[in-house]
């Protein structure tokens, strides 16, 4: 294990991350409502830590193996989450203790969107911007950004550990740095388009940029306590839904589209490009899931005459079903007060989340689809024991390795969920509240039901550490974190 090389790389990454704290300081200078000094102090501390790590191991430049890549990803998220909490610790308002600062930082970077801060409407703009920017960085993955801007020897190994999805190595070109650069170009372009749309729909420039960060990253943080409901605008609701659906799509499809559009020969194949997304089985399944959820919500609301007895509109039902099921967690009203089984349905739908390779959380649509196909195969085998029935997506036959990996991931996901649920109860949470808090954390959702329907202020400090662990597991898709806890990982 090349420990000194790992420390050197983490040091450079930390120094790079420290530069992001200068942006909130600049926001504080522009708006003049406080927070600038604390962010400059946080920058100094973070940069010094990164410089110390790099300087002490600057001579070590050995080639990295895949195993070191996994360790760097986990170490970097832990170090980054801890150092990202420094501004929250230094700030006097909001007055967060150490545990709450760590929780808020990890919630932002993992795009969970759970918060322990109230009174957002009265906070300095620098703090609000910082929370949103943390989510934007965590959305695509700070490690992929590092691959794009810091071409170090062996750093491309991190891509396999960072990018989500069971078939993540099959849709990208082998040149990881070029892939990462184009992914971030797409990510940045979507953010700019989203911010412009929000601004044209009536948001202030600050709110438009801030909410575009949280929308494209499917994070769910807002600059207002009432979230998107603060604006009370149907056009803003539709814009949010549109960009959440785009961000929930596999970025490998966006990558393929942009790559073909850059090729003059491919530009003429418009018919091929227009079919690109629809031919993807995961994307089609994702749209079907979204449509079924929305239709169910709409039918139940109509059946209960909820549109005539409450201030609920058509686009709000669409907004809430998409926001919760894609694990964004934005809100326009208190959906926990909706009739019948709808709140529970939407919360459980977050277990599915977005597509693999997207900024969404949850198990991912492709895994749920493959689990469904495997279930059908086993039913067929039960009736016809001697039948040979491979699992196929279209014309592609999936290997046994992928099938085994799907079940292993699902088992690990449920194991972590139950473990964190029991630990939260042990920390003093009531069973129902603990269930919802862990569900919201592991699926990177944010709000849920019960005491965590709006924020996590009532969660005991001990349970906040459990939720932080669950957030990291969800963001790194369980195995990346669990693999370094295995004794096999540390054997040469």
């Amino acid at each position: 294990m090349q420990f000194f090389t790992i420390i050197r790389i983490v040091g450079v990454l930390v120094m790079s991350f420290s530069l992001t704290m200068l942006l909130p300081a600049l926001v504080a200078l522009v708006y003049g409502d406080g927070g600038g000094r604390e962010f400059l102090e946080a920058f100094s501390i973070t940069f010094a830590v990164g410089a110390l790590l790099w300087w002490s191991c600057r001579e070590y430049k050995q080639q990295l193996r895949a195993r070191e890549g996994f360790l760097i990803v986990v170490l970097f998220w832990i170090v980054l989450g801890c150092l990202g909490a420094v501004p929250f610790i230094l700030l006097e308002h909001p007055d967060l203790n150490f545990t709450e600062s760590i929780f808020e930082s990890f919630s932002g970077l993992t795009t969970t969107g759970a918060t322990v801060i109230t009174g957002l409407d009265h906070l300095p703009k620098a703090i609000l911007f910082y929370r949103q920017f943390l989510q934007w960085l965590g959305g695509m993955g700070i490690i992929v950004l590092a691959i794009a801007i810091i071409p170090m020897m062996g750093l491309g190994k991190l891509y396999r550990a960072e990018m989500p999805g069971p078939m993540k190595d099959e849709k990208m070109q082998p040149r990881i740095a070029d892939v990462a650069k184009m992914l971030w170009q797409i990510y940045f372009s979507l953010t700019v388009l989203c911010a412009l749309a929000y601004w044209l729909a009536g948001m202030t420039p600050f709110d438009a940029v801030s909410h575009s960060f949280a929308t494209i990253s499917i994070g769910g943080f807002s600059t207002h306590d009432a979230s998107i409901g603060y604006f009370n605008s149907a056009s803003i609701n539709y814009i949010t839904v549109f960009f959440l659906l785009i961000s929930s799509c596999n970025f490998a499809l966006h990558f393929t589209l942009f790559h073909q559009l850059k090729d003059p020969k491919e530009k003429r194949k418009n018919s091929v490009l227009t079919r690109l997304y629809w031919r993807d089985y995961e994307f089609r399944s994702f749209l079907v899931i979204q449509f079924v959820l929305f239709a169910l919500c709409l039918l139940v609301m109509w059946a209960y005459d909820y549109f005539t007895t409450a201030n609920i509109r058509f686009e709000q039902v669409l907004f809430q079903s998409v926001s919760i099921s894609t694990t964004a967690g934005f809100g326009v009203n208190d959906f926990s007060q909706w009739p019948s089984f709808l709140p529970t349905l939407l919360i459980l739908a977050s277990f599915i989340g977005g597509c693999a390779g997207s900024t969404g959380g949850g198990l991912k649509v492709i895994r749920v689809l493959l689990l469904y196909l495997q279930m059908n195969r086993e039913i067929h085998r039960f009736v016809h024991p001697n039948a040979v029935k491979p699992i196929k997506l279209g014309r592609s036959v999936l290997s046994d390795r992928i099938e085994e990996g799907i079940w292993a991931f699902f088992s690990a996901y449920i194991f972590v969920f139950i473990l964190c649920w029991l630990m939260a109860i042990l920390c003093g949470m009531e069973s129902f509240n603990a269930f919802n808090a862990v569900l919201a954390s592991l699926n990177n959702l944010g709000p849920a039901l019960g005491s965590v329907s709006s924020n996590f202020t009532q969660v005991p400090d001990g349970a906040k550490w459990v939720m932080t662990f669950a957030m990291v597991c969800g963001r790194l898709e369980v195995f990346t974190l669990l693999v370094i806890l295995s004794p096999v990982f540390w054997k040469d």
Side-chain angles (χ1 to χ4, degrees):
M1 189 73 72
Q2 306 294 340
F3 288 108
F4 292 111
T5 301
I6 292 172
I7 293 173
R8 177 181 65 86
I9 292 175
V10 171
V12 175
L13 295 175
V14 169
M15 286 191 290
S16 301
F17 171 71
S18 70
L19 299 177
T20 63
M21 296 183 184
L22 295 177
L23 291 178
L26 179 61
V27 172
L29 179 63
V30 172
Y31 286 92
D33 55 358
R37 177 180 58 83
E38 288 84 356
F39 280 105
L40 289 177
E41 293 175 354
F43 160 74
S44 301
I45 294 172
T46 305
F47 187 86
V49 171
L52 179 62
L53 293 174
W54 171 78
W55 179 262
S56 61
C57 303
R58 65 189 183 282
E59 302 297 332
Y60 297 90
K61 300 179 181 180
Q62 289 85 357
Q63 176 70 35
L64 292 180
R65 299 168 293 178
R67 187 167 58 169
E68 280 90 355
F70 279 99
L71 183 57
I72 290 176
V73 169
V74 174
L75 282 178
F76 185 64
W77 275 93
I78 293 175
V79 172
L80 183 63
C82 292
L83 292 175
V86 173
F88 296 116
I89 296 173
L90 296 177
L91 288 163
E92 296 181 359
H93 184 65
D95 185 15
L96 304 181
N97 60 32
F98 179 76
T99 297
E100 292 171 335
S101 299
I102 293 290
F103 180 91
E104 194 75 15
S105 175
F106 274 96
S107 179
L109 284 169
T110 59
T111 71
T112 302
T115 184
V116 292
I117 299 177
T118 57
L120 296 174
D121 299 86
H122 307 292
L123 288 179
K125 292 291 192 297
I127 302 171
L128 299 176
F129 179 87
Y130 179 66
R131 293 170 73 247
Q132 308 297 111
F133 195 61
L134 281 179
Q135 292 203 320
W136 191 75
L137 289 176
M140 178 64 72
I142 192 69
I143 302 298
V144 179
L145 174 63
I147 295 171
I149 64 175
I150 311 173
M152 289 185 173
M153 182 177 296
L155 200 57
K157 303 274 188 185
L158 306 186
Y159 181 80
R160 177 168 169 252
E162 174 65 15
M163 287 301 291
M167 297 181 286
K168 54 193 172 185
D169 296 326
E170 296 184 7
K171 294 186 177 181
M172 294 295 182
Q173 294 180 344
R175 297 185 62 183
I176 301 301
D178 292 338
V179 171
K181 289 177 182 178
M182 185 173 290
L183 285 175
W184 273 93
Q185 289 173 6
I186 297 169
Y187 193 61
F188 180 79
S189 299
L190 289 175
T191 305
V192 172
L193 291 175
C194 184
L196 287 174
Y198 277 144
W199 177 61
L200 293 174
M203 284 190 182
T204 65
F206 178 81
D207 278 340
V209 172
S210 297
H211 284 88
S212 69
F213 288 160
T215 302
I216 301 303
S217 66
I218 312 186
F221 273 161
S222 177
T223 56
H224 303 281
D225 287 320
S227 190
I228 300 294
Y230 170 86
F231 303 100
N232 193 28
S233 169
S235 58
I236 289 177
N237 292 346
Y238 284 125
I239 290 169
T240 304
V241 168
F242 176 75
F243 281 100
L244 285 179
L245 292 175
I246 289 179
S247 300
S248 297
C249 176
N250 193 331
F251 269 67
L253 294 178
H254 300 329
F255 171 86
T256 303
L257 176 63
F258 275 69
H259 180 69
Q260 291 180 346
L261 288 176
K262 291 176 68 176
D263 187 345
K265 296 181 180 179
E266 296 290 347
K267 288 182 179 180
R268 295 191 293 269
K269 301 179 181 179
N270 293 327
S271 60
V272 176
L273 294 179
T274 54
R275 296 198 304 266
L276 173 65
Y277 290 85
W278 188 246
R279 287 183 302 180
D280 187 82
Y281 284 90
E282 183 184 24
F283 179 71
R284 295 211 309 259
S285 300
F286 170 71
L287 291 183
V288 169
I289 291 171
Q290 293 300 316
F291 176 79
V292 170
L293 285 173
F294 170 62
L296 281 174
C297 291
L298 204 61
L299 288 173
V300 171
M301 298 290 256
W302 264 328
Y304 278 77
D305 292 326
Y306 212 72
F307 291 105
T308 59
T309 59
N311 187 26
I312 300 294
R313 301 190 300 269
F314 172 89
E315 92 281 348
Q316 292 179 341
V317 177
L318 174 64
F319 177 96
Q320 211 64 67
S321 65
V322 171
S323 176
I324 299 301
S325 60
T326 59
T327 73
F330 285 124
V332 290
N333 50 58
D334 188 2
F335 79 99
S336 65
Q337 302 301 316
W338 283 10
S340 190
F341 68 103
L342 292 184
T344 303
L345 173 67
L346 292 179
I347 289 295
L348 293 179
S350 70
F351 270 108
I352 301 176
C355 298
S358 72
T359 56
L363 289 165
K364 303 297 187 295
V365 173
I366 186 63
R367 290 194 179 97
V368 176
L369 176 60
L370 293 180
L371 286 172
Y372 171 76
L373 293 176
Q374 290 185 59
M375 179 190 70
N376 276 346
R377 184 183 67 173
E378 294 308 313
I379 292 175
H380 188 272
R381 283 179 171 177
F382 186 79
V383 179
H384 305 284
N386 297 323
V388 177
K389 186 177 175 61
I391 295 179
K392 299 174 65 176
L393 276 179
R395 298 179 181 179
S396 302
V397 178
L398 302 185
S399 66
D400 293 338
R401 178 67 186 88
I402 291 179
E403 297 174 25
E404 294 169 358
I406 294 295
W407 280 108
F409 178 87
F410 180 74
S411 301
Y413 204 85
I414 298 302
F415 172 77
V416 170
F417 178 83
I418 294 175
L419 176 64
C420 292
W421 184 19
L422 294 175
M423 291 299 295
I425 295 174
L426 185 63
C427 291
M429 294 191 71
E430 189 269 333
S431 179
F432 178 77
N433 292 330
F435 177 90
N436 279 277
V438 174
L439 183 152
S441 300
L442 184 61
N443 292 338
N444 300 133
L445 170 61
L449 303 178
S451 64
V452 294
S453 60
S454 57
N455 57 63
F456 280 58
T457 55
Q458 298 182 35
V459 175
D461 280 358
K464 287 188 179 75
W465 288 100
V466 176
M467 303 310 152
T468 301
F469 173 78
M471 291 176 197
V472 177
C473 278
R475 180 63 182 86
L476 297 180
E477 298 213 327
V478 181
F479 271 134
T480 304
L481 182 59
L482 295 184
V483 70
I484 70 166
L485 301 178
S486 171
V488 178
F489 178 82
W490 300 99
K491 293 180 180 180
D492 292 326

